[in-house]
Amino acid sequence: MGCGCSNLSLCCWSSGYNASIPEVQDVENEEKSEVDDVPAFREYSIETLRMATSGFAAENIVSEHGEKAPNVVYKGKLENQRRIAVKRFNRPAWPDGRQFLEEAKAVGQLRNQRLSNLLGCCYEGDERLLVAEYMPNDTLAKHLFHWETQPMKWAMRLRVALYLAQALEYCTSKGRGLYHDLNAYRIVFDDEGNPRLSCFGLMKNSRDGKSYSTNLAFTPPEYLRTGRVTPESVMYSFGTLLLDLLSGKHIPPSHALDLIRDRNVQMLTDSCLEGQFTNDDGTELVRLASRCLQYEPRERPNPKSLVAALIPLQKDTEVSSHVLMDIPHGSAASPLTPLGDMCLRMDLTAMHEILENLGYKDDEGAASELSFQMWTNQMQETLNSKKKGDSAFRHKDFRAAIDCYSQFIDVGTMVSPTVYARRSLSYLMSDMPQEALNDALQAQVISPVWHIASYLQAVALFTLGKENEAQVALREGSVLENKRGAAA
């Protein structure tokens, strides 16, 4: 006798599965729903965010479609060394600034270890920007679909599914059950290799709420009828993500459901996972996916029941995420170069020698601008002040170097990261660490990927007694220096 199901469910796979899942106490998720080390939501000025992103430099774009994305995301760094992700909306989005602020403030009240939390926003003039925690280890899409060294392990895929469900459960419990365009690009990995849900999807892209932008083959069926996102639509998208995790590919749900109907789950499974899980484990994940992909929204599970179903499936729970992901961690992430070690030892004499030997090689574009403007009297005077500064710097007359470089900078005809770096070191030699830090930050604004700027920030921060921030700048300098060496 048939089961009498009018829609696709997997009751034929396991009798009684569609009965409600017993609620399992999610201890891990409730232990720490609030995150202590994340600052409260605040408003940022456009100038602060411009500084943090080096003038919204192309080198700092982290959106998957680069500058072509309708709303571009940049990585940046605040003066306190906190790394941030800045989403800059296109001009027509959010015409009502107050409405944008209210929406951002509501999302900014959320604080959870499963989210990349929203730290603030900016709405000056036509500008609409969101500021979130920066997650340095790429997106789920990169690790699943575009991996270079090894595919994501089965245990990690299960962890991604659980952590994502926990993030959605937390948001739902706080009255933010809508998530726009949930996909593999919305899941990002933190310093520890743990997956987190981007807070950007909790914001509508515009005031009408119609922000579903994925390929129509992957959108919930009800969205095609109503154009609206509901909490049940989010569950449908969660089902497509479970298929991504299972297959390692972005498979249209209709095709996946055909395979499930035919019990051809082998075709759904990533061949790279062979031997990493049992048939029962695979079947269980397929069951969950198919429940999320039910045509009728009311028949899909809620986040709480997803969490309860995913907890028993977890593997290797004692193994850290960065180990499962094979992500370098802590001191192994970027071993200090000799230059980095020099900064750690606060060897300013050696730093002086390096800057002196480096000259102005890293001032890209500055020389041509100088030659074009050399004929003006003002430019000749500016050049003279720079030459005097260079001479004073060479002879370690740092007070004179500060004065001469300041004259050059104040004229403002041209910008030079090297001049800022030299004045920064001169300030350090003159026991003026805050001024040194300001100049090092300015050097990085002009030249976003210049390792010298990060190293000078580290030395200034060490001098100011800001050990943690200094270590962050030091690691960043090492990463930039190593990238530079690899590209050479």
Side-chain angles (χ1 to χ4, degrees):
M1 180 179 283
C3 63
C5 291
S6 59
N7 55 23
L8 178 77
S9 70
L10 288 184
C11 57
C12 299
W13 287 61
S14 173
S15 174
Y17 182 81
N18 279 327
S20 61
I21 299 173
E23 292 184 1
V24 176
Q25 183 71 21
D26 179 16
V27 178
E28 184 184 4
N29 198 34
E30 293 189 2
E31 262 180 9
K32 189 182 180 185
S33 62
E34 309 302 325
V35 182
D36 297 330
D37 62 345
V38 180
F41 180 91
R42 56 165 284 199
E43 293 176 46
Y44 291 88
S45 69
I46 187 68
E47 193 50 45
T48 296
L49 298 183
R50 200 181 302 280
M51 184 91 167
T53 58
S54 299
F56 300 104
E59 298 97 319
N60 285 331
I61 293 176
V62 291
S63 328
E64 60 266 26
H65 300 302
E67 292 178 280
K68 295 178 181 177
N71 307 303
V72 182
V73 181
Y74 300 83
K75 65 179 178 180
K77 184 175 64 175
L78 298 172
E79 283 194 29
N80 64 1
Q81 300 297 303
R82 180 178 285 278
R83 302 304 303 271
I84 56 174
V86 180
K87 181 174 184 177
R88 193 182 198 185
F89 286 91
N90 60 21
R91 297 290 178 184
W94 293 101
D96 186 336
R98 299 302 303 181
Q99 195 173 35
F100 171 77
L101 178 61
E102 287 170 16
E103 178 82 357
K105 277 184 173 176
V107 176
Q109 299 310 304
L110 303 179
R111 287 290 180 268
N112 190 267
Q113 59 186 346
R114 299 290 180 250
L115 295 174
S116 66
N117 295 283
L118 189 65
L119 305 178
C121 73
C122 170
Y123 75 110
E124 288 183 21
D126 292 335
E127 293 284 4
R128 306 286 182 266
L129 303 101
L130 296 174
V131 181
E133 292 181 284
Y134 176 65
M135 301 288 121
N137 284 310
D138 292 317
T139 64
L140 177 62
K142 170 75 181 294
H143 291 294
L144 263 187
F145 310 139
H146 311 296
W147 52 273
E148 294 170 1
T149 54
Q150 65 170 23
M152 185 180 285
K153 295 182 173 68
W154 175 248
M156 193 65 213
R157 299 187 194 205
L158 291 172
R159 190 172 300 179
V160 169
L162 174 60
Y163 283 20
L164 175 56
Q166 289 174 336
L168 293 173
E169 181 189 9
Y170 169 78
C171 293
T172 301
S173 74
K174 297 295 183 181
R176 302 293 302 190
L178 291 185
Y179 193 93
H180 300 268
D181 197 14
L182 179 63
N183 60 52
Y185 289 99
R186 298 286 199 178
I187 299 162
V188 286
F189 291 81
D190 63 20
D191 290 283
E192 304 296 320
N194 288 317
R196 300 211 203 181
L197 179 63
S198 168
C199 62
F200 292 148
L202 293 163
M203 289 277 294
K204 296 191 292 286
N205 275 354
S206 63
R207 57 185 173 176
D208 64 6
K210 294 183 178 181
S211 61
Y212 230 98
S213 59
T214 54
N215 185 309
L216 289 179
F218 295 88
T219 53
E222 67 275 10
Y223 177 77
L224 300 177
R225 299 194 301 269
T226 67
R228 294 282 168 181
V229 182
T230 66
E232 290 77 22
S233 309
V234 180
M235 290 299 94
Y236 186 92
S237 297
F238 187 92
T240 67
L241 273 168
L242 288 180
L243 292 178
D244 291 349
L245 291 165
L246 187 68
S247 66
K249 298 184 286 289
H250 204 34
I251 298 177
S254 57
H255 177 55
L257 292 174
D258 286 342
L259 292 174
I260 293 170
R261 273 195 197 91
D262 298 338
R263 301 194 181 193
N264 195 357
V265 180
Q266 196 68 33
M267 290 289 292
L268 265 183
T269 307
D270 192 339
S271 58
C272 296
L273 295 173
E274 193 170 342
Q276 291 189 35
F277 65 95
T278 65
N279 286 339
D280 287 347
D281 287 341
T283 299
E284 200 67 28
L285 210 62
V286 169
R287 275 203 194 98
L288 276 178
S290 69
R291 290 186 66 225
C292 293
L293 296 171
Q294 293 292 323
Y295 184 82
E296 291 297 332
R298 66 176 179 275
E299 295 183 4
R300 298 170 197 156
N302 59 35
K304 193 175 185 66
S305 64
L306 283 177
V307 170
L310 285 163
I311 286 176
L313 300 182
Q314 298 304 301
K315 312 286 183 191
D316 298 335
T317 53
E318 74 289 349
V319 181
S320 299
S321 293
H322 70 86
V323 174
L324 288 175
M325 295 284 287
D326 195 28
I327 291 173
H329 184 254
S331 59
S334 51
L336 289 181
T337 63
L339 181 54
D341 187 59
M342 208 178 292
C343 294
L344 185 62
R345 290 186 281 107
M346 306 279 286
D347 190 343
L348 299 184
T349 303
M351 283 291 290
H352 173 265
E353 187 178 340
I354 285 169
L355 276 176
E356 181 60 37
N357 292 335
L358 184 63
Y360 285 82
K361 291 175 187 173
D362 290 324
D363 275 20
E364 292 180 13
S368 58
E369 189 174 352
L370 275 172
S371 60
F372 179 73
Q373 300 186 37
M374 276 184 72
W375 57 273
T376 66
N377 289 336
Q378 186 184 38
M379 198 61 209
Q380 194 59 55
E381 289 175 16
T382 305
L383 280 173
N384 286 338
S385 64
K386 175 179 163 293
K387 285 178 182 176
K388 288 177 183 176
D390 289 343
S391 177
F393 186 81
R394 186 179 312 114
H395 293 100
K396 301 184 181 179
D397 185 354
F398 297 112
R399 288 287 181 176
I402 290 170
D403 290 340
C404 294
Y405 286 143
S406 296
Q407 290 173 32
F408 173 81
I409 289 168
D410 291 344
V411 170
T413 310
M414 64 161 289
V415 291
S416 164
T418 301
V419 167
Y420 276 106
R422 288 178 167 222
R423 192 173 72 167
S424 174
L425 186 62
S426 298
Y427 278 134
L428 283 168
M429 290 291 199
S430 305
D431 197 24
M432 301 169 73
Q434 185 57 55
E435 290 81 356
L437 178 60
N438 294 342
D439 271 4
L441 288 166
Q442 193 61 49
Q444 191 162 51
V445 167
I446 301 166
S447 188
V449 294
W450 196 30
H451 59 292
I452 297 292
S454 291
Y455 282 142
L456 285 168
Q457 289 170 50
V459 176
L461 288 161
F462 277 127
T463 308
L464 288 164
K466 298 182 177 180
E467 177 79 23
N468 292 338
E469 293 94 331
Q471 290 288 353
V472 171
L474 195 60
R475 285 198 300 273
E476 184 180 67
S478 285
V479 169
L480 292 173
E481 187 183 359
N482 286 328
K483 281 183 180 177
R484 187 188 187 96

